[in-house]
């Protein structure tokens, strides 16, 4: 309590058995309209109190700290675990903290996109055939620009009468999870 501050400005909350204390202004700020704002600004009836005089909210307290910190600061550092974020989103939506819900949804979508782009051990191989010696460096440059790595080369027999030695070049590119899923879908529809 700040010097000269009345106790009525401090709100004690019992969220699922865990106690939190905050300033009344934190939950009644007009910049963060939410369920708590309505409860403690007089729009709705305040929740019931427990035996200690704390307002009781029948919710899992695990992510309430994040909700409260967002109301205090207008921003929070969010985890990168999608499952935890989905739990937090459920709580942000329950408490009707719209700005936090939007941030969490956006991060979930970004992480899901990133997961699809993560590289797998699966590779796509390409063979460039019948390349003459003087064109090998051009073919390697072209394929590396397309994201392929040069793997190997092998001399090819020539059946033409030119006598010019030709080569087969092998390139590979690691596939993302999204590319593997797409190829799996295509091949499953083929058979």
């Amino acid at each position: 309590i700040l010097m000269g501050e009345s106790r009525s400005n401090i709100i004690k909350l019992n969220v699922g058995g865990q106690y939190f204390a905050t300033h009344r202004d934190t939950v009644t700020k007009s910049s963060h309209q939410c369920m708590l704002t309505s409860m403690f600004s007089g729009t709705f009836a305040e929740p019931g109190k427990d035996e200690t005089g704390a307002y009781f909210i029948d919710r899992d307290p695990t992510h309430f700290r994040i909700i409260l910190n967002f109301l205090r600061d207008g921003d929070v550092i969010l985890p990168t675990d999608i499952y935890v974020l989905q739990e937090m989103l459920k709580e942000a939506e329950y408490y009707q903290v719209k700005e936090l819900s939007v941030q969490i949804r956006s991060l979930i979508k970004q992480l899901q996109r990133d997961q699809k782009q993560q590289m797998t051990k699966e590779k796509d191989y390409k063979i460039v055939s019948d390349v003459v010696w003087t064109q090998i460096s051009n073919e390697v440059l072209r394929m590396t620009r397309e994201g392929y790595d040069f793997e190997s080369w092998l001399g090819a027999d020539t059946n033409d009468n030119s006598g010019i030695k030709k080569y087969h070049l092998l390139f590979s590119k690691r596939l993302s999870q999204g590319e593997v899923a797409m190829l799996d879908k295509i091949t499953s529809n083929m058979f």
Side-chain angles (χ1 to χ4, degrees):
I1 297 177
L2 300 173
M3 295 294 284
E5 183 107 41
S6 80
R7 286 201 175 271
S8 64
N9 285 333
I10 304 299
I11 298 173
K12 188 174 178 187
L13 302 167
N14 172 350
V15 181
Q18 187 172 342
Y19 289 91
F20 297 87
T22 191
H23 199 279
R24 184 174 292 275
D25 289 346
T26 299
V27 295
T28 59
K29 286 180 197 170
S30 61
S31 60
H32 298 295
Q33 289 294 321
C34 67
M35 185 180 81
L36 295 171
T37 306
S38 299
M39 289 170 131
F40 294 105
S41 66
T43 306
F44 293 132
E46 290 181 348
K49 292 185 177 184
D50 69 7
E51 65 279 355
T52 69
Y55 293 101
F56 181 73
I57 300 174
D58 190 17
R59 294 297 287 180
D60 184 335
T62 305
H63 303 297
F64 187 74
R65 177 183 63 84
I66 299 295
I67 303 291
L68 199 53
N69 283 337
F70 184 83
L71 295 175
R72 287 177 178 134
D73 304 327
D75 194 22
V76 288
I77 296 172
L78 295 171
T80 56
D81 181 305
I82 291 177
Y83 177 77
V84 172
L85 286 168
Q86 289 170 333
E87 287 181 336
M88 291 174 73
L89 178 60
K90 186 173 184 178
E91 293 304 300
E93 288 176 344
Y94 174 80
Y95 290 106
Q96 301 170 4
V97 185
K98 291 179 181 119
E99 300 92 347
L100 181 57
S101 296
V102 167
Q103 283 185 20
I104 294 170
R105 255 192 227 96
S106 175
L107 182 55
I108 289 171
K109 285 180 183 175
Q110 176 188 341
L111 291 170
Q112 288 171 334
R113 273 193 311 269
D114 291 350
Q115 270 185 350
K116 286 182 180 176
Q117 294 304 315
Q118 286 180 354
M119 302 312 279
T120 65
K121 292 182 180 181
E122 302 288 330
K123 288 186 175 183
D124 177 31
Y125 290 95
K126 288 207 175 179
I127 297 173
V128 179
S129 297
D130 298 326
V131 180
V132 295
W133 180 256
T134 57
Q135 292 299 310
I136 288 177
S137 60
N138 289 339
E139 286 299 322
V140 170
L141 184 60
R142 181 179 68 83
M143 293 300 289
T144 54
R145 283 184 184 148
E146 292 181 23
Y148 285 86
D149 295 319
F150 176 73
E151 292 277 337
S152 180
W153 58 287
L154 177 66
D157 289 331
T158 56
N159 290 333
D160 61 9
N161 292 328
S162 69
I164 297 174
K165 183 107 172 145
K166 295 183 181 178
Y167 299 87
H168 299 300
L169 308 178
L170 178 63
F171 297 89
S172 70
K173 175 170 72 169
R174 290 185 63 183
L175 299 173
S176 70
Q177 290 179 357
E179 290 170 321
V180 170
M182 181 183 66
L183 288 171
D184 286 345
K185 187 175 182 179
I186 290 169
T187 55
S188 69
N189 290 336
M190 292 173 66
F191 302 106

PDB file of all heavy atoms in Angstrom, residues 128-160:
ATOM      1  N   VAL A 128      20.513 -33.553 -62.990  1.00  0.00           N
ATOM      2  CA  VAL A 128      20.649 -32.804 -64.238  1.00  0.00           C
ATOM      3  C   VAL A 128      21.571 -33.641 -65.114  1.00  0.00           C
ATOM      4  O   VAL A 128      22.722 -33.899 -64.758  1.00  0.00           O
ATOM      5  CB  VAL A 128      21.208 -31.389 -63.997  1.00  0.00           C
ATOM      6  CG1 VAL A 128      21.360 -30.638 -65.310  1.00  0.00           C
ATOM      7  CG2 VAL A 128      20.325 -30.624 -63.016  1.00  0.00           C
ATOM      8  N   SER A 129      21.038 -34.084 -66.224  1.00  0.00           N
ATOM      9  CA  SER A 129      21.770 -35.026 -67.086  1.00  0.00           C
ATOM     10  C   SER A 129      22.436 -34.330 -68.266  1.00  0.00           C
ATOM     11  O   SER A 129      22.026 -33.246 -68.691  1.00  0.00           O
ATOM     12  CB  SER A 129      20.820 -36.092 -67.629  1.00  0.00           C
ATOM     13  OG  SER A 129      20.296 -36.852 -66.565  1.00  0.00           O
ATOM     14  N   ASP A 130      23.436 -35.021 -68.794  1.00  0.00           N
ATOM     15  CA  ASP A 130      24.114 -34.636 -70.039  1.00  0.00           C
ATOM     16  C   ASP A 130      24.649 -33.209 -70.011  1.00  0.00           C
ATOM     17  O   ASP A 130      24.432 -32.418 -70.921  1.00  0.00           O
ATOM     18  CB  ASP A 130      23.172 -34.826 -71.240  1.00  0.00           C
ATOM     19  CG  ASP A 130      22.762 -36.274 -71.400  1.00  0.00           C
ATOM     20  OD1 ASP A 130      23.597 -37.165 -71.103  1.00  0.00           O
ATOM     21  OD2 ASP A 130      21.612 -36.529 -71.806  1.00  0.00           O
ATOM     22  N   VAL A 131      25.386 -32.899 -68.967  1.00  0.00           N
ATOM     23  CA  VAL A 131      26.003 -31.582 -68.842  1.00  0.00           C
ATOM     24  C   VAL A 131      27.451 -31.687 -69.297  1.00  0.00           C
ATOM     25  O   VAL A 131      28.189 -32.555 -68.839  1.00  0.00           O
ATOM     26  CB  VAL A 131      25.944 -31.077 -67.382  1.00  0.00           C
ATOM     27  CG1 VAL A 131      26.591 -29.707 -67.245  1.00  0.00           C
ATOM     28  CG2 VAL A 131      24.511 -31.069 -66.868  1.00  0.00           C
ATOM     29  N   VAL A 132      27.851 -30.819 -70.188  1.00  0.00           N
ATOM     30  CA  VAL A 132      29.250 -30.818 -70.642  1.00  0.00           C
ATOM     31  C   VAL A 132      30.106 -30.117 -69.604  1.00  0.00           C
ATOM     32  O   VAL A 132      29.623 -29.292 -68.828  1.00  0.00           O
ATOM     33  CB  VAL A 132      29.397 -30.153 -72.037  1.00  0.00           C
ATOM     34  CG1 VAL A 132      28.673 -30.961 -73.099  1.00  0.00           C
ATOM     35  CG2 VAL A 132      28.932 -28.724 -72.017  1.00  0.00           C
ATOM     36  N   TRP A 133      31.378 -30.475 -69.615  1.00  0.00           N
ATOM     37  CA  TRP A 133      32.323 -29.980 -68.597  1.00  0.00           C
ATOM     38  C   TRP A 133      32.270 -28.461 -68.449  1.00  0.00           C
ATOM     39  O   TRP A 133      32.262 -27.945 -67.347  1.00  0.00           O
ATOM     40  CB  TRP A 133      33.738 -30.444 -68.957  1.00  0.00           C
ATOM     41  CG  TRP A 133      34.760 -29.984 -67.961  1.00  0.00           C
ATOM     42  CD1 TRP A 133      35.652 -28.979 -68.120  1.00  0.00           C
ATOM     43  CD2 TRP A 133      34.964 -30.504 -66.651  1.00  0.00           C
ATOM     44  NE1 TRP A 133      36.413 -28.830 -66.985  1.00  0.00           N
ATOM     45  CE2 TRP A 133      36.002 -29.770 -66.060  1.00  0.00           C
ATOM     46  CE3 TRP A 133      34.360 -31.519 -65.908  1.00  0.00           C
ATOM     47  CZ2 TRP A 133      36.471 -30.021 -64.782  1.00  0.00           C
ATOM     48  CZ3 TRP A 133      34.837 -31.770 -64.628  1.00  0.00           C
ATOM     49  CH2 TRP A 133      35.878 -31.016 -64.086  1.00  0.00           C
ATOM     50  N   THR A 134      32.201 -27.725 -69.524  1.00  0.00           N
ATOM     51  CA  THR A 134      32.243 -26.257 -69.465  1.00  0.00           C
ATOM     52  C   THR A 134      30.962 -25.654 -68.884  1.00  0.00           C
ATOM     53  O   THR A 134      30.945 -24.490 -68.515  1.00  0.00           O
ATOM     54  CB  THR A 134      32.484 -25.662 -70.866  1.00  0.00           C
ATOM     55  OG1 THR A 134      31.454 -26.127 -71.743  1.00  0.00           O
ATOM     56  CG2 THR A 134      33.850 -26.043 -71.398  1.00  0.00           C
ATOM     57  N   GLN A 135      29.903 -26.449 -68.759  1.00  0.00           N
ATOM     58  CA  GLN A 135      28.638 -25.936 -68.238  1.00  0.00           C
ATOM     59  C   GLN A 135      28.332 -26.384 -66.798  1.00  0.00           C
ATOM     60  O   GLN A 135      27.321 -25.990 -66.228  1.00  0.00           O
ATOM     61  CB  GLN A 135      27.482 -26.372 -69.155  1.00  0.00           C
ATOM     62  CG  GLN A 135      27.515 -25.711 -70.516  1.00  0.00           C
ATOM     63  CD  GLN A 135      27.409 -24.195 -70.394  1.00  0.00           C
ATOM     64  OE1 GLN A 135      26.527 -23.677 -69.721  1.00  0.00           O
ATOM     65  NE2 GLN A 135      28.327 -23.496 -71.041  1.00  0.00           N
ATOM     66  N   ILE A 136      29.236 -27.169 -66.220  1.00  0.00           N
ATOM     67  CA  ILE A 136      28.987 -27.683 -64.865  1.00  0.00           C
ATOM     68  C   ILE A 136      28.822 -26.534 -63.872  1.00  0.00           C
ATOM     69  O   ILE A 136      27.880 -26.511 -63.081  1.00  0.00           O
ATOM     70  CB  ILE A 136      30.095 -28.661 -64.419  1.00  0.00           C
ATOM     71  CG1 ILE A 136      29.958 -29.966 -65.196  1.00  0.00           C
ATOM     72  CG2 ILE A 136      30.030 -28.912 -62.910  1.00  0.00           C
ATOM     73  CD1 ILE A 136      31.033 -30.991 -64.900  1.00  0.00           C
ATOM     74  N   SER A 137      29.718 -25.562 -63.884  1.00  0.00           N
ATOM     75  CA  SER A 137      29.628 -24.468 -62.903  1.00  0.00           C
ATOM     76  C   SER A 137      28.333 -23.670 -63.086  1.00  0.00           C
ATOM     77  O   SER A 137      27.719 -23.247 -62.100  1.00  0.00           O
ATOM     78  CB  SER A 137      30.851 -23.554 -62.980  1.00  0.00           C
ATOM     79  OG  SER A 137      30.957 -22.982 -64.260  1.00  0.00           O
ATOM     80  N   ASN A 138      27.876 -23.470 -64.318  1.00  0.00           N
ATOM     81  CA  ASN A 138      26.618 -22.755 -64.551  1.00  0.00           C
ATOM     82  C   ASN A 138      25.437 -23.533 -63.990  1.00  0.00           C
ATOM     83  O   ASN A 138      24.517 -22.952 -63.405  1.00  0.00           O
ATOM     84  CB  ASN A 138      26.403 -22.501 -66.051  1.00  0.00           C
ATOM     85  CG  ASN A 138      27.352 -21.464 -66.600  1.00  0.00           C
ATOM     86  OD1 ASN A 138      27.899 -20.665 -65.847  1.00  0.00           O
ATOM     87  ND2 ASN A 138      27.562 -21.479 -67.904  1.00  0.00           N
ATOM     88  N   GLU A 139      25.411 -24.867 -64.173  1.00  0.00           N
ATOM     89  CA  GLU A 139      24.311 -25.692 -63.652  1.00  0.00           C
ATOM     90  C   GLU A 139      24.298 -25.710 -62.126  1.00  0.00           C
ATOM     91  O   GLU A 139      23.239 -25.649 -61.505  1.00  0.00           O
ATOM     92  CB  GLU A 139      24.394 -27.116 -64.201  1.00  0.00           C
ATOM     93  CG  GLU A 139      23.992 -27.242 -65.648  1.00  0.00           C
ATOM     94  CD  GLU A 139      22.539 -26.828 -65.888  1.00  0.00           C
ATOM     95  OE1 GLU A 139      21.657 -27.115 -65.046  1.00  0.00           O
ATOM     96  OE2 GLU A 139      22.288 -26.198 -66.926  1.00  0.00           O
ATOM     97  N   VAL A 140      25.506 -25.786 -61.530  1.00  0.00           N
ATOM     98  CA  VAL A 140      25.589 -25.772 -60.065  1.00  0.00           C
ATOM     99  C   VAL A 140      25.069 -24.432 -59.534  1.00  0.00           C
ATOM    100  O   VAL A 140      24.278 -24.390 -58.585  1.00  0.00           O
ATOM    101  CB  VAL A 140      27.036 -26.049 -59.588  1.00  0.00           C
ATOM    102  CG1 VAL A 140      27.178 -25.781 -58.092  1.00  0.00           C
ATOM    103  CG2 VAL A 140      27.437 -27.484 -59.914  1.00  0.00           C
ATOM    104  N   LEU A 141      25.465 -23.347 -60.153  1.00  0.00           N
ATOM    105  CA  LEU A 141      25.003 -22.026 -59.741  1.00  0.00           C
ATOM    106  C   LEU A 141      23.482 -21.910 -59.883  1.00  0.00           C
ATOM    107  O   LEU A 141      22.789 -21.427 -58.982  1.00  0.00           O
ATOM    108  CB  LEU A 141      25.703 -20.947 -60.576  1.00  0.00           C
ATOM    109  CG  LEU A 141      25.403 -19.506 -60.210  1.00  0.00           C
ATOM    110  CD1 LEU A 141      25.810 -19.210 -58.777  1.00  0.00           C
ATOM    111  CD2 LEU A 141      26.121 -18.562 -61.164  1.00  0.00           C
ATOM    112  N   ARG A 142      22.945 -22.362 -60.991  1.00  0.00           N
ATOM    113  CA  ARG A 142      21.494 -22.307 -61.228  1.00  0.00           C
ATOM    114  C   ARG A 142      20.729 -23.097 -60.163  1.00  0.00           C
ATOM    115  O   ARG A 142      19.742 -22.620 -59.591  1.00  0.00           O
ATOM    116  CB  ARG A 142      21.166 -22.856 -62.620  1.00  0.00           C
ATOM    117  CG  ARG A 142      19.677 -22.810 -62.963  1.00  0.00           C
ATOM    118  CD  ARG A 142      19.390 -23.336 -64.364  1.00  0.00           C
ATOM    119  NE  ARG A 142      19.623 -24.761 -64.503  1.00  0.00           N
ATOM    120  CZ  ARG A 142      18.733 -25.696 -64.153  1.00  0.00           C
ATOM    121  NH1 ARG A 142      17.577 -25.361 -63.649  1.00  0.00           N
ATOM    122  NH2 ARG A 142      19.015 -26.982 -64.314  1.00  0.00           N
ATOM    123  N   MET A 143      21.181 -24.292 -59.880  1.00  0.00           N
ATOM    124  CA  MET A 143      20.467 -25.145 -58.916  1.00  0.00           C
ATOM    125  C   MET A 143      20.601 -24.622 -57.480  1.00  0.00           C
ATOM    126  O   MET A 143      19.661 -24.726 -56.691  1.00  0.00           O
ATOM    127  CB  MET A 143      20.963 -26.591 -59.014  1.00  0.00           C
ATOM    128  CG  MET A 143      20.604 -27.268 -60.329  1.00  0.00           C
ATOM    129  SD  MET A 143      18.825 -27.365 -60.633  1.00  0.00           S
ATOM    130  CE  MET A 143      18.355 -28.572 -59.416  1.00  0.00           C
ATOM    131  N   THR A 144      21.758 -24.067 -57.122  1.00  0.00           N
ATOM    132  CA  THR A 144      21.908 -23.528 -55.762  1.00  0.00           C
ATOM    133  C   THR A 144      21.038 -22.295 -55.580  1.00  0.00           C
ATOM    134  O   THR A 144      20.543 -22.050 -54.487  1.00  0.00           O
ATOM    135  CB  THR A 144      23.372 -23.212 -55.417  1.00  0.00           C
ATOM    136  OG1 THR A 144      23.930 -22.361 -56.413  1.00  0.00           O
ATOM    137  CG2 THR A 144      24.197 -24.478 -55.309  1.00  0.00           C
ATOM    138  N   ARG A 145      20.824 -21.545 -56.650  1.00  0.00           N
ATOM    139  CA  ARG A 145      19.892 -20.410 -56.568  1.00  0.00           C
ATOM    140  C   ARG A 145      18.464 -20.898 -56.300  1.00  0.00           C
ATOM    141  O   ARG A 145      17.657 -20.184 -55.716  1.00  0.00           O
ATOM    142  CB  ARG A 145      19.916 -19.595 -57.856  1.00  0.00           C
ATOM    143  CG  ARG A 145      21.114 -18.709 -57.982  1.00  0.00           C
ATOM    144  CD  ARG A 145      21.035 -17.850 -59.229  1.00  0.00           C
ATOM    145  NE  ARG A 145      22.236 -17.074 -59.384  1.00  0.00           N
ATOM    146  CZ  ARG A 145      22.746 -16.722 -60.544  1.00  0.00           C
ATOM    147  NH1 ARG A 145      22.130 -17.059 -61.676  1.00  0.00           N
ATOM    148  NH2 ARG A 145      23.842 -16.015 -60.599  1.00  0.00           N
ATOM    149  N   GLU A 146      18.142 -22.098 -56.731  1.00  0.00           N
ATOM    150  CA  GLU A 146      16.817 -22.688 -56.492  1.00  0.00           C
ATOM    151  C   GLU A 146      16.726 -23.385 -55.138  1.00  0.00           C
ATOM    152  O   GLU A 146      15.737 -24.027 -54.831  1.00  0.00           O
ATOM    153  CB  GLU A 146      16.479 -23.677 -57.612  1.00  0.00           C
ATOM    154  CG  GLU A 146      16.253 -23.013 -58.958  1.00  0.00           C
ATOM    155  CD  GLU A 146      15.890 -24.018 -60.046  1.00  0.00           C
ATOM    156  OE1 GLU A 146      15.395 -25.120 -59.719  1.00  0.00           O
ATOM    157  OE2 GLU A 146      16.095 -23.689 -61.228  1.00  0.00           O
ATOM    158  N   GLY A 147      17.802 -23.275 -54.353  1.00  0.00           N
ATOM    159  CA  GLY A 147      17.776 -23.839 -53.001  1.00  0.00           C
ATOM    160  C   GLY A 147      18.337 -25.242 -52.885  1.00  0.00           C
ATOM    161  O   GLY A 147      18.220 -25.873 -51.839  1.00  0.00           O
ATOM    162  N   TYR A 148      18.935 -25.756 -53.936  1.00  0.00           N
ATOM    163  CA  TYR A 148      19.483 -27.110 -53.918  1.00  0.00           C
ATOM    164  C   TYR A 148      20.961 -27.085 -53.558  1.00  0.00           C
ATOM    165  O   TYR A 148      21.666 -26.119 -53.847  1.00  0.00           O
ATOM    166  CB  TYR A 148      19.300 -27.785 -55.280  1.00  0.00           C
ATOM    167  CG  TYR A 148      17.881 -28.225 -55.531  1.00  0.00           C
ATOM    168  CD1 TYR A 148      16.944 -27.349 -56.067  1.00  0.00           C
ATOM    169  CD2 TYR A 148      17.473 -29.520 -55.202  1.00  0.00           C
ATOM    170  CE1 TYR A 148      15.639 -27.738 -56.284  1.00  0.00           C
ATOM    171  CE2 TYR A 148      16.163 -29.913 -55.421  1.00  0.00           C
ATOM    172  CZ  TYR A 148      15.258 -29.020 -55.953  1.00  0.00           C
ATOM    173  OH  TYR A 148      13.960 -29.413 -56.155  1.00  0.00           O
ATOM    174  N   ASP A 149      21.408 -28.164 -52.940  1.00  0.00           N
ATOM    175  CA  ASP A 149      22.820 -28.358 -52.639  1.00  0.00           C
ATOM    176  C   ASP A 149      23.391 -29.348 -53.645  1.00  0.00           C
ATOM    177  O   ASP A 149      22.738 -30.332 -53.998  1.00  0.00           O
ATOM    178  CB  ASP A 149      23.011 -28.923 -51.230  1.00  0.00           C
ATOM    179  CG  ASP A 149      22.554 -27.961 -50.150  1.00  0.00           C
ATOM    180  OD1 ASP A 149      22.822 -26.750 -50.288  1.00  0.00           O
ATOM    181  OD2 ASP A 149      21.927 -28.416 -49.172  1.00  0.00           O
ATOM    182  N   PHE A 150      24.628 -29.100 -54.080  1.00  0.00           N
ATOM    183  CA  PHE A 150      25.301 -30.021 -54.985  1.00  0.00           C
ATOM    184  C   PHE A 150      25.739 -31.228 -54.178  1.00  0.00           C
ATOM    185  O   PHE A 150      26.350 -31.113 -53.134  1.00  0.00           O
ATOM    186  CB  PHE A 150      26.513 -29.335 -55.631  1.00  0.00           C
ATOM    187  CG  PHE A 150      27.311 -30.249 -56.501  1.00  0.00           C
ATOM    188  CD1 PHE A 150      26.820 -30.656 -57.733  1.00  0.00           C
ATOM    189  CD2 PHE A 150      28.560 -30.717 -56.097  1.00  0.00           C
ATOM    190  CE1 PHE A 150      27.553 -31.507 -58.548  1.00  0.00           C
ATOM    191  CE2 PHE A 150      29.291 -31.564 -56.902  1.00  0.00           C
ATOM    192  CZ  PHE A 150      28.792 -31.959 -58.130  1.00  0.00           C
ATOM    193  N   GLU A 151      25.377 -32.423 -54.656  1.00  0.00           N
ATOM    194  CA  GLU A 151      25.715 -33.660 -53.944  1.00  0.00           C
ATOM    195  C   GLU A 151      26.884 -34.385 -54.602  1.00  0.00           C
ATOM    196  O   GLU A 151      27.844 -34.736 -53.941  1.00  0.00           O
ATOM    197  CB  GLU A 151      24.498 -34.603 -53.916  1.00  0.00           C
ATOM    198  CG  GLU A 151      23.342 -34.131 -53.074  1.00  0.00           C
ATOM    199  CD  GLU A 151      23.499 -34.459 -51.605  1.00  0.00           C
ATOM    200  OE1 GLU A 151      24.236 -35.397 -51.263  1.00  0.00           O
ATOM    201  OE2 GLU A 151      22.870 -33.762 -50.794  1.00  0.00           O
ATOM    202  N   SER A 152      26.757 -34.606 -55.910  1.00  0.00           N
ATOM    203  CA  SER A 152      27.755 -35.453 -56.574  1.00  0.00           C
ATOM    204  C   SER A 152      27.637 -35.289 -58.086  1.00  0.00           C
ATOM    205  O   SER A 152      26.668 -34.740 -58.591  1.00  0.00           O
ATOM    206  CB  SER A 152      27.493 -36.918 -56.192  1.00  0.00           C
ATOM    207  OG  SER A 152      28.430 -37.767 -56.795  1.00  0.00           O
ATOM    208  N   TRP A 153      28.640 -35.814 -58.791  1.00  0.00           N
ATOM    209  CA  TRP A 153      28.582 -35.857 -60.246  1.00  0.00           C
ATOM    210  C   TRP A 153      29.174 -37.177 -60.710  1.00  0.00           C
ATOM    211  O   TRP A 153      29.959 -37.808 -60.018  1.00  0.00           O
ATOM    212  CB  TRP A 153      29.278 -34.663 -60.880  1.00  0.00           C
ATOM    213  CG  TRP A 153      30.735 -34.492 -60.510  1.00  0.00           C
ATOM    214  CD1 TRP A 153      31.233 -34.075 -59.324  1.00  0.00           C
ATOM    215  CD2 TRP A 153      31.840 -34.749 -61.342  1.00  0.00           C
ATOM    216  NE1 TRP A 153      32.581 -34.038 -59.340  1.00  0.00           N
ATOM    217  CE2 TRP A 153      32.999 -34.446 -60.591  1.00  0.00           C
ATOM    218  CE3 TRP A 153      31.997 -35.190 -62.643  1.00  0.00           C
ATOM    219  CZ2 TRP A 153      34.275 -34.576 -61.095  1.00  0.00           C
ATOM    220  CZ3 TRP A 153      33.281 -35.304 -63.139  1.00  0.00           C
ATOM    221  CH2 TRP A 153      34.395 -35.010 -62.374  1.00  0.00           C
ATOM    222  N   LEU A 154      28.729 -37.584 -61.863  1.00  0.00           N
ATOM    223  CA  LEU A 154      29.135 -38.875 -62.408  1.00  0.00           C
ATOM    224  C   LEU A 154      29.293 -38.713 -63.910  1.00  0.00           C
ATOM    225  O   LEU A 154      28.452 -38.108 -64.575  1.00  0.00           O
ATOM    226  CB  LEU A 154      28.036 -39.909 -62.108  1.00  0.00           C
ATOM    227  CG  LEU A 154      28.209 -41.319 -62.651  1.00  0.00           C
ATOM    228  CD1 LEU A 154      29.398 -42.005 -61.991  1.00  0.00           C
ATOM    229  CD2 LEU A 154      26.948 -42.126 -62.437  1.00  0.00           C
ATOM    230  N   GLY A 155      30.390 -39.232 -64.423  1.00  0.00           N
ATOM    231  CA  GLY A 155      30.600 -39.191 -65.877  1.00  0.00           C
ATOM    232  C   GLY A 155      29.597 -40.088 -66.573  1.00  0.00           C
ATOM    233  O   GLY A 155      29.276 -41.175 -66.102  1.00  0.00           O
ATOM    234  N   ALA A 156      29.058 -39.617 -67.695  1.00  0.00           N
ATOM    235  CA  ALA A 156      28.052 -40.372 -68.441  1.00  0.00           C
ATOM    236  C   ALA A 156      28.669 -40.879 -69.738  1.00  0.00           C
ATOM    237  O   ALA A 156      29.518 -40.230 -70.326  1.00  0.00           O
ATOM    238  CB  ALA A 156      26.851 -39.485 -68.742  1.00  0.00           C
ATOM    239  N   ASP A 157      28.225 -42.048 -70.154  1.00  0.00           N
ATOM    240  CA  ASP A 157      28.647 -42.544 -71.460  1.00  0.00           C
ATOM    241  C   ASP A 157      27.940 -41.731 -72.528  1.00  0.00           C
ATOM    242  O   ASP A 157      26.774 -41.380 -72.386  1.00  0.00           O
ATOM    243  CB  ASP A 157      28.273 -44.028 -71.626  1.00  0.00           C
ATOM    244  CG  ASP A 157      29.137 -44.912 -70.738  1.00  0.00           C
ATOM    245  OD1 ASP A 157      30.285 -44.523 -70.455  1.00  0.00           O
ATOM    246  OD2 ASP A 157      28.639 -45.973 -70.327  1.00  0.00           O
ATOM    247  N   THR A 158      28.648 -41.419 -73.587  1.00  0.00           N
ATOM    248  CA  THR A 158      28.020 -40.680 -74.683  1.00  0.00           C
ATOM    249  C   THR A 158      27.858 -41.604 -75.867  1.00  0.00           C
ATOM    250  O   THR A 158      28.780 -42.319 -76.249  1.00  0.00           O
ATOM    251  CB  THR A 158      28.866 -39.455 -75.078  1.00  0.00           C
ATOM    252  OG1 THR A 158      30.181 -39.903 -75.400  1.00  0.00           O
ATOM    253  CG2 THR A 158      28.920 -38.442 -73.970  1.00  0.00           C
ATOM    254  N   ASN A 159      26.688 -41.615 -76.427  1.00  0.00           N
ATOM    255  CA  ASN A 159      26.413 -42.442 -77.595  1.00  0.00           C
ATOM    256  C   ASN A 159      26.443 -41.628 -78.878  1.00  0.00           C
ATOM    257  O   ASN A 159      26.231 -42.154 -79.952  1.00  0.00           O
ATOM    258  CB  ASN A 159      25.046 -43.135 -77.462  1.00  0.00           C
ATOM    259  CG  ASN A 159      25.091 -44.207 -76.396  1.00  0.00           C
ATOM    260  OD1 ASN A 159      26.142 -44.765 -76.118  1.00  0.00           O
ATOM    261  ND2 ASN A 159      23.949 -44.476 -75.787  1.00  0.00           N
ATOM    262  N   ASP A 160      26.659 -40.328 -78.718  1.00  0.00           N
ATOM    263  CA  ASP A 160      26.737 -39.541 -79.950  1.00  0.00           C
ATOM    264  C   ASP A 160      28.172 -39.574 -80.487  1.00  0.00           C
ATOM    265  O   ASP A 160      29.091 -40.013 -79.816  1.00  0.00           O
ATOM    266  CB  ASP A 160      26.235 -38.107 -79.733  1.00  0.00           C
ATOM    267  CG  ASP A 160      27.060 -37.351 -78.708  1.00  0.00           C
ATOM    268  OD1 ASP A 160      28.117 -37.851 -78.287  1.00  0.00           O
ATOM    269  OD2 ASP A 160      26.651 -36.245 -78.309  1.00  0.00           O
TER     270      ASP A 160
END
